[in-house]
Amino acid sequence: MMMNLGKSNHYFQSSKLIKESTTVCTTYYPENMPKVKTIVHYNVHNKPTVELRYDEKDVLKQRVTITYDNSGTFDIGVKLENSDPEIGFYTVFSTNQYDSNGLVNKITERDEKGRISRQTDLVYNEKGNPTEIIVSIGDVMLSKQTAVYNYELNEATIKYFNRKGELYNTQKVPIDYSIAKPGEIVNEYGDIIKSATSEIEIAYDEFGNWTKKVYSMIIDGKLTKSSKQIKTLLYVN
């Protein structure tokens, strides 16, 4: 599990209720990859309830079903159904536990027989950002991540530890990817569309929600298209 920083993948500009979205993603660089399609259904709070992920042949490869509490805003459980070419279909169930601040502090995963297969424990700072994530099976730690935040620089330093508690990697990432760095260009919707290393072409619908994103990278001084996402939104009348 990675530190969850920045905007949600289901971030919308408006409060207009959405019934369904269909996103088709094509990757061009560093290598051409087949198109993949994701269909998402939403509840009355614009929260995803079902995600259907298809391969390039339009074959369903993964189904994610999300269960919420009575408010419809806190997801308390996820059912993940996968299709694996070697072992066939298998299902993973996970449940979320929240702390007094409404933040997920424990995720428990179970197999189809109800046996616990993995547990993730999370610790947060006073701003609600995760500072430690530990993944374990029973009393055995599988991995650990820690994060230290520099809010003035909008930068988090993340350290990765193996099951022996040994540090094997450190990286610095933005705390909020939507905050522009000096020299970056932001459009009227608040999205970063140009930096020193990349450019993004974004199209929006009448409600301000994006419907097309074309990502390009600057390689050897040339702008090279890396991927494209096309999203179709079906609104609630």
Side-chain angles (χ1 to χ4, degrees):
M1 180 177 181
M2 298 293 292
M3 293 283 180
N4 185 21
L5 306 175
K7 289 183 179 180
S8 164
N9 289 332
H10 301 288
Y11 172 81
F12 297 116
Q13 291 280 3
S14 76
S15 58
K16 177 74 173 176
L17 291 182
I18 297 170
K19 181 179 181 180
E20 179 184 292
S21 68
T22 300
T23 305
V24 178
C25 181
T26 306
T27 301
Y28 306 101
Y29 183 87
E31 59 179 324
N32 287 319
M33 298 181 65
K35 293 181 180 180
V36 293
K37 182 176 70 175
T38 303
I39 297 176
V40 183
H41 299 273
Y42 301 88
N43 65 13
V44 294
H45 301 282
N46 274 353
K47 297 285 188 178
T49 57
V50 177
E51 295 188 22
L52 305 172
R53 299 164 185 169
Y54 298 83
D55 65 12
E56 71 280 4
K57 297 181 180 179
D58 213 29
V59 175
L60 180 63
K61 305 298 292 184
Q62 189 176 73
R63 178 189 287 109
V64 181
T65 305
I66 305 170
T67 303
Y68 293 86
D69 66 355
N70 291 334
S71 72
T73 57
F74 290 94
D75 56 296
I76 56 177
V78 176
K79 178 181 179 182
L80 179 63
E81 300 169 271
N82 287 288
S83 175
D84 187 281
E86 296 183 359
I87 63 176
F89 279 95
Y90 66 95
T91 304
V92 177
F93 301 88
S94 65
T95 55
N96 295 335
Q97 177 180 305
Y98 289 82
D99 62 18
S100 58
N101 295 315
L103 300 171
V104 176
N105 61 5
K106 186 185 296 292
I107 302 172
T108 303
E109 298 180 20
R110 291 179 169 82
D111 61 20
E112 294 170 318
K113 296 184 179 180
R115 298 172 299 196
I116 296 178
S117 56
R118 190 168 68 168
Q119 180 173 297
T120 303
D121 293 279
L122 303 93
V123 178
Y124 300 86
N125 62 15
E126 67 280 358
K127 292 182 178 293
N129 292 121
T131 57
E132 182 178 79
I133 297 177
I134 297 178
V135 180
S136 60
I137 296 179
D139 296 328
V140 179
M141 184 183 79
L142 298 180
S143 64
K144 182 174 75 170
Q145 297 177 36
T146 63
V148 176
Y149 298 88
N150 185 326
Y151 292 100
E152 291 185 0
L153 297 179
N154 187 37
E155 185 178 82
T157 301
I158 302 178
K159 294 184 177 181
Y160 301 84
F161 301 84
N162 60 22
R163 63 180 61 202
K164 295 181 180 180
E166 300 168 334
L167 176 68
Y168 68 87
N169 191 28
T170 301
Q171 68 174 152
K172 292 185 177 182
V173 299
I175 299 172
D176 187 342
Y177 284 88
S178 67
I179 298 177
K181 298 178 182 178
E184 294 182 333
I185 297 177
V186 179
N187 65 15
E188 65 270 29
Y189 294 96
D191 292 315
I192 300 171
I193 57 174
K194 187 175 183 179
S195 71
T197 58
S198 64
E199 292 186 14
I200 306 176
E201 173 193 338
I202 310 177
Y204 302 84
D205 65 12
E206 60 183 311
F207 302 108
N209 294 317
W210 72 267
T211 56
K212 178 182 179 181
K213 288 185 177 182
V214 179
Y215 297 86
S216 298
M217 302 171 61
I218 300 175
I219 303 172
D220 297 329
K222 296 182 180 181
L223 197 61
T224 302
K225 185 163 65 173
S226 58
S227 66
K228 178 176 68 176
Q229 294 183 41
I230 303 294
K231 177 179 285 187
T232 302
L233 295 170
L234 177 62
Y235 290 94
V236 176
N237 294 329

